[in-house]
């Protein structure tokens, strides 16, 4: 079913054309990803579909009564109200009434009964109780802390809440702009599963290649004002795009050759001008106009890294360090040796201690126990995910060159404007204040500033946020060529796979496991280990009653007394019951031991812990009953 469409859509900001007679159709059930470089107009396209921006020309058609919900790239300003209220207000005025009713009922004996009566009447008049149930259902489904203040949540959890706010309206078209920003890998994978279960149409923007590959069913590329569509996954789209750009380059080369020949003809001597064909002259004018209107492919960023003397062979020697913050262990008895040339990826949930460990290694914080020995000849460059090194009021050029006209790149002076051109900032843009830049542009400025510094230890905390795919891939290439030591924090699975050669995997209790290879390698080994662990647990559970029976039989030579039929049947069934009870207990233990378990909804946490306590009690009771019946039969 066709939900929405663009017909010959046109939109420009000044001389910059974003949409040039674009056609697009969106059908129910599809998951469409919009890709393209920073600044091409992807977010603008989503705003047009959502009705928050209008076209210069062309039309937008939507099915009558189409329900649309969206999740914007930027999180809302600090909102100090409960999560429940944020989600309910996604329903508009009725949602605000439901939120007030919910808040008032939670005041208990201090509730204003007159206000409750008025709110109840308004909800009933709007047939709003079903919508209240939908708010409760989405909070339970996404395991959200309903009574916690939205402002107190991490960026990843705030994204979950805003997704719930969008889903509670049961939209037929869901629009998401960079939904994985601020999310850790576990949350991104959770989001993938939630969106795969969504029944409506999904249109989203993302630079997370693994996320796009796993979720999208159609790719739309916005390139120089035109849309190019690919029906299939992201890997197939990459092959299609490479072929398209190659064909375009060949066609442009033929066009330019023809234009050059015509220009040569028009510039022939007097005799040629006397006899020239006026029709040919007009065709030449057409060719010139076509060439002038052509928008060439923007060049790739030319990222270069300033080299320096190699560090000592041993970069860090870490012995049994620990660090806790507000009674939460972030690093617990961690020991390792970092050698020159190591490329280490740090992975784990948000807030688990990755940035803390980097600061401990760099001497910005001191471990509460243990020691860190730093190697010799270290020159450090640090990419801060908070972008604190940038002055928003200064221009791009002044931020990068500290107010100077020239910068030094690998021992040679270059004008800062020329250097910024390597990072896709034209001369006019280089004078723009940083506060006017997009997230991706800010990251490029920080990279330009960072790579001017000679270093043999590169520490990068979330460098991939907001970068377009082309810049990401180029950054990957440079990091793979980098001869120094790299410590990398990232939630981009493809980026970690392509850059890191080993991992430090963080868990909630402060423990850090060292793993060889990239993220996919670790996940493959983890699945094998988890499967083997479950298999061994099942075998042990099945064997335990048999072992106990054998032990009990060996302690006495006397023949067993005959039990009644009922008791004998109970005894015969107990081994299977014990095995089932132990399997359930082990499953609950695994849930409680998961890295993100205690970051979930507190009600759900208490429920699982209570079930675990009951399961352990049942196993003990069944085993005691088994021993009791065995003694009776002996």
């Amino acid at each position: 079913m066709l939900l929405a469409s663009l017909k010959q859509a046109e939109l420009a900001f000044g001389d910059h054309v974003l949409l040039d007679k674009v056609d697009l159709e969106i059908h129910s059930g599809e998951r469409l990803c919009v890709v393209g470089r920073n600044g091409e107009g992807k977010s603008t396209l989503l705003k047009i579909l959502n009705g928050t921006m209008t076209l210069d020309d062309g039309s937008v058609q939507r099915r009558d009564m189409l329900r649309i919900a969206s999740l914007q790239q930027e999180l809302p300003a600090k909102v100090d109200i409960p999560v429940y209220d944020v989600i309910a207000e996604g329903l508009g005025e009725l949602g605000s009434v439901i939120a007030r009713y919910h808040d008032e009922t939670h005041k208990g004996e201090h509730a204003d009964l007159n206000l409750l009566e008025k709110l109840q009447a308004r909800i009933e008049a709007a047939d709003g109780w079903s919508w209240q149930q939908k708010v409760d259902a989405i909070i339970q489904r996404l395991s959200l802390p309903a009574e916690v203040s939205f402002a107190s949540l991490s960026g990843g959890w705030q994204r979950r809440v805003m997704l719930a706010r969008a889903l509670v309206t049961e939209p037929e078209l869901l629009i998401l702009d960079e939904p994985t920003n601020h999310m850790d890998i576990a949350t991104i994978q959770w989001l993938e599963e939630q969106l795969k279960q969504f029944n409506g149409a999904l249109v989203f923007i993302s630079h997370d290649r693994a996320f796009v590959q796993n979720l999208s069913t159609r790719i739309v590329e916005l390139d120089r004002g035109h849309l190019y569509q690919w029906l299939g996954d992201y890997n197939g789209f990459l092959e299609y795009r490479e072929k398209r750009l190659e064909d375009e380059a060949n066609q442009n080369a033929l066009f330019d050759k023809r234009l050059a020949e015509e220009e040569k003809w028009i510039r022939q001597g007097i005799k040629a001008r006397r006899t020239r064909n006026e029709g040919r002259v007009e065709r030449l004018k057409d060719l010139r106009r076509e060439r002038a209107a052509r928008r060439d492919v923007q060049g790739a960023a030319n990222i270069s890294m300033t080299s320096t003397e190699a560090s000592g062979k041993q970069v860090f020697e870490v012995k049994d360090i620990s660090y806790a913050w507000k009674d939460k262990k972030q690093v617990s008895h961690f020991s390792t040796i970092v050698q020159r040339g190591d490329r280490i990826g740090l992975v784990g949930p948000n807030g688990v201690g990755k940035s803390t460990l980097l600061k401990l290694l760099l001497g910005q914080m001191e471990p509460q126990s243990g020691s860190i020995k730093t190697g010799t000849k270290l020159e450090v460059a640090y990419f801060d995910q908070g972008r604190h090194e940038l002055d928003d009021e200064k221009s791009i050029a002044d931020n990068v060159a500290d107010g100077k006209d020239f910068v030094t790149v690998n021992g040679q002076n270059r004008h800062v404007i020329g250097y910024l051109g390597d990072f896709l900032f034209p001369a006019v843009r280089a004078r723009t204040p940083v506060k006017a830049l997009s997230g991706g542009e800010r990251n490029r400025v920080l990279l330009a500033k960072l790579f001017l510094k000679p270093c043999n230890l590169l520490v990068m905390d979330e460098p991939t946020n907001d970068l377009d795919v082309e810049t990401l891939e180029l950054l990957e290439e440079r990091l793979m060529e980098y001869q120094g030591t790299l410590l990398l924090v990232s939630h981009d699975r493809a980026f970690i796979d392509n850059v890191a050669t080993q991992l430090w995997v963080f868990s909630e209790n402060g423990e850090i496991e060292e793993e060889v290879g990239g993220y996919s390698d670790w996940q493959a080994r983890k699945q094998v280990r988890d499967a083997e662990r479950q298999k061994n647990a099942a075998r042990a559970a099945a064997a335990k009653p048999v072992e106990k029976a054998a032990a009990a039989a060996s302690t006495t030579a006397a023949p067993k007394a005959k039990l009644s039929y009922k008791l004998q049947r109970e005894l015969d069934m107990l081994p299977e019951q014990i095995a089932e009870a132990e399997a359930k207990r082990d499953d609950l233990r695994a849930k409680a031991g998961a890295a993100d378990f205690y970051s979930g909804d507190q009600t759900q946490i208490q429920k699982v812990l209570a079930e675990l306590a009951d399961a352990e009690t049942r196993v003990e009771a069944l085993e005691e009953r088994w021993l009791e019946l065995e003694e009776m039969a002996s």
Side-chain angles (χ1 to χ4, degrees), residues 314-318 335-339 342 344 502 504 514:
Q314 187 167 291
V315 179
F316 294 112
E317 183 180 1
V318 181
S335 299
T336 191
I337 293 177
V338 179
Q339 302 278 12
D342 285 349
I344 302 170
Q502 57 180 300
W504 290 346
E514 297 186 74

Side-chain angles (χ1 to χ4, degrees), residues 348-391:
N350 285 332
V352 77
K354 302 184 293 296
S355 297
T356 298
L357 179 56
L358 292 181
K359 292 176 181 178
L360 292 171
L361 293 174
L362 297 178
Q364 298 176 5
M365 298 168 58
E366 293 292 329
Q368 294 165 343
S369 63
S371 64
I372 300 174
K373 182 179 178 182
T374 304
T376 59
K377 303 179 182 178
L378 279 185
E379 294 191 50
V380 182
Y382 182 32
F383 184 100
D384 176 15
Q385 68 167 319
R387 303 168 184 150
H388 299 304
E389 293 187 20
L390 299 181
D391 187 333

